Amino acid sequence: METTIAAISTAQASAGISVIRISGDEAITIADRVFRGNNNKKLCEMKGYTCALGGAYADGEKLDECIATVFREPHSYTGENVVEFSCHGGVYVTARVLRAIYDAGAQPAQAGEFTKRAFLNGKLDLIEAEAVMDIISSRSKAGVRAALNIKDGALSKKINNSKDILLNKAAHLNAWADYPEEDIPEVESDELLSALSEVRSDLSRLIDSYDDGRILRDGIDTVIAGKPNVGKSTLMNLLAGYDKSIVTSVAGTTRDIVEESVSLGDIVLNLSDTAGIRETGDEIEQIGVDKAKKRLNSASLLLCVFDASSELTDEDLEIIDMVGDIPSIAVINKCDLTKQPDDSKIKEAFGEVIYMSAKNGDGADKLIETVKRICAVGNINSADALIYNERQRSLTKKTMDSVDEAIEALHIGMTFDAVTVSIEEAVAYLCELTGERVTDEVVDKVFHTFCVGK
Ligand code: GDP
């Protein structure tokens, strides 16, 4: 890696401190051109894992006071020489120090380039590198826990275990086929079959974990549906304010879909408050109603809201009919008002019925508890190795298909050559998964999603 790169690794906003990271062969030399230690000590004289207080200078002018931390290769995040400047966290001052570092010889780092170098230098495999980004973007406690666990190698260990078993079998099959005159023990079909079956069930368990991984990573797509005025927006606002942890907020018009991601501790709900579903002659409202129906069909969870203060209407019944087999909770709202309608039809249609008042918050805890139970959040063990993204799922599935072909070939009595081909194919997919054998294109695609400075 001939170039030395630099970027601001903290957020581009005013803060207590900002960290500028420099990585590459020349990192310490370049940093020395900008940094003057208070005790006149040069960074090139310092050991790894040590730091010095001083100033960053350009053309003899002091730009900021900062602390420089020195990491010596290979004991750094990237595996290269690294210097990190901790400056005062002003947007202007940090950018000014970074410019001085560029002027002293560093190149601007591309998105994800530090982590990419860590991968290329063998500090982490591709799965662990992906987990770095997932730690940063996690919006729930359990999500961070799962991503950290993957970063620490939980998933890689499982993948490598399957790979080792397959590699051993492929090596034995090849040796046995290529050197018949050598004293190599015969390949036993039963033993081979049992090893392949073991790998297959491990892979299948991993593929099954993808849904859990997705819930932790992306949250649960939850649609709030109901006829107009039952209290959908009030419920949305109540949930958004719960735990005071709104993550994002994208608002359309009242006739469109309003979306908000809400963190409920262990889990994130991606809430969509849809237009009240009803027959309407208003063309624009009809577009909202159609969108609402579409969104309803793609939801992972439905909160169907009814008004406790009035009788069920045909519009309510139409919504009940639409639910189908989407996991749903009936929310009978406005229970603070006196009139309670006949709820037998609702109880018939929904496995879960919550009585609440979105206006004063009564029943909200029960609703959240039920959401977590229905989505089986409590059953997800974030300490397990979870498949966490589509790349991982698709390669694990391809591996399993190849293992299935090997098992099938054994069953129908094909030659060991055919079995070997399928096993080797499975190994190739696993190597792509961990990044041991992967094209530059795939590597670029993975790191493309990263931010600059990571
Ligand atoms: P939406 O059209 O379904 O989104 O309904 P809104 O959330 O806009 O609420 C319609 C009306 O019902 C508003 O006046 C709310 O203040 C009121 N409302 C919503 N939830 C409750 C509740 O739990 N109790 C009472 N008494 N009024 C509520």
Side-chain angles (χ1 to χ4, degrees):
M1 205 76 60
E2 66 284 10
T3 57
T4 292
I5 52 171
I8 300 166
S9 283
T10 40
Q12 311 272 337
S14 296
I17 60 165
S18 285
V19 174
I20 300 172
R21 189 186 263 159
I22 313 168
S23 179
D25 277 355
E26 299 291 305
I28 300 171
T29 314
I30 290 172
D32 259 334
R33 290 181 194 137
V34 175
F35 183 80
R36 265 188 235 159
N38 285 357
N39 54 5
N40 283 328
K41 202 168 183 180
K42 290 277 196 201
L43 298 175
C44 62
E45 292 161 6
M46 285 166 49
K47 289 193 181 134
Y49 298 142
T50 58
C51 52
L53 176 64
Y57 289 79
D59 303 324
E61 182 197 347
K62 186 171 181 177
L63 306 175
D64 192 15
E65 187 176 52
C66 59
I67 290 176
T69 309
V70 174
F71 302 84
R72 289 196 176 265
E73 56 100 10
H75 305 293
S76 71
Y77 181 70
T78 57
E80 304 173 330
N81 284 335
V82 169
V83 176
E84 286 183 358
F85 283 163
S86 303
C87 317
H88 288 113
V91 176
Y92 173 78
V93 79
T94 312
R96 185 66 195 87
V97 175
L98 179 65
R99 182 144 45 95
I101 293 167
Y102 290 158
D103 290 345
Q107 301 294 317
Q110 303 296 311
E113 199 173 352
F114 294 106
T115 309
K116 185 175 173 180
R117 288 186 176 201
F119 162 67
L120 294 173
N121 288 324
K123 300 293 281 188
L124 8 95
D125 68 23
L126 207 51
I127 294 173
E128 291 159 357
E130 283 171 322
V132 170
M133 203 56 214
D134 291 326
I135 294 170
I136 296 171
S137 58
S138 275
R139 298 175 294 171
S140 72
K141 225 177 356 185
V144 174
R145 238 184 282 133
L148 260 177
N149 205 29
I150 297 172
K151 160 79 177 56
D152 288 344
L155 180 55
S156 304
K157 219 186 273 169
K158 294 235 162 171
I159 298 291
N160 284 325
N161 182 46
S162 294
K163 199 182 66 198
D164 289 347
I165 295 174
L166 294 175
L167 268 176
N168 269 331
K169 293 299 165 197
H172 187 182
L173 283 162
N174 278 321
W176 191 69
D178 294 347
Y179 305 103
E181 68 285 359
E182 301 281 330
D183 203 12
I184 292 165
E186 198 168 328
V187 175
E188 299 287 346
S189 281
D190 285 353
E191 198 195 317
L192 183 55
L193 195 60
S194 108
L196 291 175
S197 303
E198 184 194 328
V199 170
R200 193 205 184 275
S201 49
D202 286 348
L203 295 171
S204 164
R205 257 195 302 275
L206 281 180
I207 293 170
D208 289 345
S209 76
Y210 179 55
D211 284 342
D212 291 349
R214 235 184 26 188
I215 286 180
L216 296 187
R217 202 177 101 116
D218 301 334
I220 300 166
D221 290 338
T222 308
V223 168
I224 303 179
K227 68 181 179 191
N229 268 323
V230 287
K232 295 183 300 300
S233 306
T234 312
L235 175 63
M236 173 100 162
N237 290 339
L238 176 81
L239 290 174
Y242 191 90
D243 227 13
K244 298 215 174 356
S245 47
I246 301 169
V247 185
T248 58
S249 175
V250 186
T253 70
T254 48
R255 288 179 171 184
D256 208 332
I257 293 172
V258 180
E259 295 173 325
E260 201 134 26
S261 282
V262 179
S263 164
L264 301 176
D266 264 350
I267 196 72
V268 171
L269 293 190
N270 303 316
L271 289 173
S272 310
D273 176 12
T274 57
I277 293 176
R278 63 166 172 183
E279 287 300 320
T280 172
D282 180 326
E283 218 175 296
I284 298 176
E285 186 179 357
Q286 186 59 46
I287 295 173
V289 173
D290 290 345
K291 273 194 184 177
K293 287 184 179 171
K294 224 178 190 172
R295 182 63 68 95
L296 195 139
N297 285 322
S298 68
S300 303
L301 175 68
L302 274 183
L303 305 181
C304 287
V305 187
F306 302 95
D307 185 341
S309 68
S310 64
E311 293 301 329
L312 284 190
T313 62
D314 288 347
E315 289 162 345
D316 290 311
L317 297 177
E318 196 196 331
I319 289 160
I320 293 178
D321 278 347
M322 277 193 264
V323 169
D325 49 12
I326 306 169
S328 314
I329 300 173
V331 177
I332 302 189
N333 189 34
K334 306 197 189 181
C335 284
D336 53 300
L337 300 176
T338 44
K339 193 161 185 222
Q340 303 284 328
D342 175 12
D343 58 8
S344 54
K345 281 216 168 63
I346 298 178
K347 279 182 169 161
E348 250 171 54
F350 293 88
E352 303 285 346
V353 182
I354 301 292
Y355 298 85
M356 69 177 292
S357 165
K359 194 167 188 175
N360 65 26
D362 285 349
D365 287 350
K366 186 86 203 302
L367 174 63
I368 287 160
E369 194 189 299
T370 309
V371 167
K372 289 185 180 176
R373 181 162 44 76
I374 280 206
C375 299
V377 174
N379 299 341
I380 302 178
N381 185 357
S382 48
D384 278 350
L386 300 174
I387 290 275
Y388 226 54
N389 61 39
E390 184 49 39
R391 188 190 77 88
Q392 296 168 358
R393 192 204 64 81
S394 136
L395 285 167
T396 310
K397 175 75 175 55
K398 283 180 180 167
T399 312
M400 195 173 82
D401 290 347
S402 298
V403 172
D404 277 341
E405 277 168 27
I407 291 174
E408 176 67 8
L410 274 175
H411 275 312
I412 59 174
M414 287 171 77
T415 62
F416 278 143
D417 273 0
V419 180
T420 311
V421 167
S422 296
I423 295 178
E424 286 178 343
E425 203 172 64
V427 170
Y429 287 132
L430 291 180
C431 287
E432 185 175 341
L433 186 49
T434 58
E436 278 159 274
R437 248 185 271 157
V438 75
T439 62
D440 289 350
E441 246 178 345
V442 171
V443 172
D444 288 346
K445 201 166 155 202
V446 167
F447 289 101
H448 182 71
T449 58
F450 277 54
C451 39
V452 171
K454 191 63 231 175

